[in-house]
Amino acid sequence: TCPALYRLTMKESLQQRIPNYTTRFGFGLHAGWAIEGAIGSALKIDPSYLSPNVKWSERLEGATKIYGVLVLMTDSFYDLLSPPVQKLCRKVDKIKVPDSKTPIDLFTYDTKAFHLDDTEMKFLAEDGNSFWESFPPINTEAWRRQFEKALIPYFKGQWDVAKELMEECLKDHPNDQPGKHVLATMAEHNFVSPASWKGYRETEDI
């Protein structure tokens, strides 16, 4: 999608230093207030945005690697989507970080990854289709609802039930990373929710 970045990625010296190096895209989506200000000099001025919400977007982008997804969004962003688009997404976790007072729900939009070697963006249709038609989800709505159904006992601390339901989901999509992440979280406690479980995962990784 970016010829210059593709040429840099495939540069022989870089590939020799880091064999099979590639560039991965990740998108963190959040909505909230921010203070805009100008930084720079008389020769060049750039806008800057200060807010805890800006930090959340950065966190989410990094967390796409943890969850193995292309897009990760908070409930604040998800709530701004239209109902038809919300149906194309799925909840993947509920977390709380140390500097946040309340837990947040995390959602993803499962679509195919972008490839740098597609320099002409041939995967983009030129027939006036919307983004959602050009990049449809890689799973069905029925499966996404089945996944969210498996999260209900997970949040409630009924991890034996959650384990069974999540493993059933992974039969159709065995490489689904969010599902594996939930199973790994429960496996750390032998699939028995700890007494400290409050219906969400407390983490410092995001």
Side-chain angles (χ1 to χ4, degrees):
T1 59
C2 178
L5 184 57
Y6 178 68
R7 289 194 298 270
L8 176 62
T9 300
M10 300 308 297
K11 193 174 182 180
E12 184 177 355
S13 59
L14 178 59
Q15 288 293 327
Q16 289 178 348
R17 182 176 180 182
I18 311 175
N20 301 316
Y21 174 82
T22 186
T23 300
R24 179 187 179 280
F25 292 94
F27 302 91
L29 305 177
H30 180 60
W33 62 269
I35 299 174
E36 182 182 38
I39 60 173
S41 66
L43 300 177
K44 186 176 186 298
I45 298 178
D46 292 312
S48 179
Y49 299 90
L50 301 176
S51 168
N53 297 308
V54 175
K55 185 177 181 180
W56 261 115
S57 294
E58 296 173 353
R59 282 173 158 170
L60 292 171
E61 186 279 323
T64 59
K65 304 176 182 64
I66 297 175
Y67 288 92
V69 296
L70 182 68
V71 178
L72 198 61
M73 66 188 85
T74 63
D75 45 16
S76 298
F77 186 91
Y78 174 85
D79 290 342
L80 296 176
L81 301 175
S82 65
V85 173
Q86 288 181 346
K87 289 183 178 181
L88 301 177
C89 304
R90 62 166 167 149
K91 184 185 295 187
V92 295
D93 208 350
K94 189 182 188 75
I95 65 166
K96 183 179 182 300
V97 295
D99 57 352
S100 178
K101 295 181 179 179
T102 58
I104 65 167
D105 293 320
L106 297 181
F107 297 82
T108 190
Y109 178 74
D110 300 291
T111 187
K112 60 185 178 182
F114 299 90
H115 297 286
L116 286 176
D117 55 355
D118 201 344
T119 54
E120 297 180 2
M121 297 184 74
K122 298 175 182 178
F123 51 82
L124 273 178
E126 298 181 357
D127 52 8
N129 285 346
S130 69
F131 172 88
W132 318 108
E133 293 170 318
S134 298
F135 297 89
I138 58 176
N139 44 44
T140 65
E141 182 178 352
W143 186 85
R144 293 192 294 274
R145 302 295 81 83
Q146 180 186 7
F147 183 93
E148 292 184 336
K149 183 179 179 180
L151 289 180
I152 295 175
Y154 167 63
F155 296 142
K156 289 183 176 180
Q158 302 167 350
W159 285 5
D160 54 336
V161 178
K163 176 178 181 292
E164 181 179 345
L165 293 176
M166 190 59 71
E167 288 177 341
E168 189 67 26
C169 284
L170 291 181
K171 289 181 180 179
D172 293 330
H173 292 276
N175 295 320
D176 183 67
Q177 295 304 312
K180 289 183 176 181
H181 189 270
V182 170
L183 285 175
T185 298
M186 295 188 291
E188 293 177 359
H189 301 277
N190 295 317
F191 297 97
V192 177
S193 60
S196 60
W197 181 255
K198 301 176 183 177
Y200 51 84
R201 188 169 65 88
E202 297 188 73
T203 179
E204 297 181 2
D205 297 334
I206 296 177

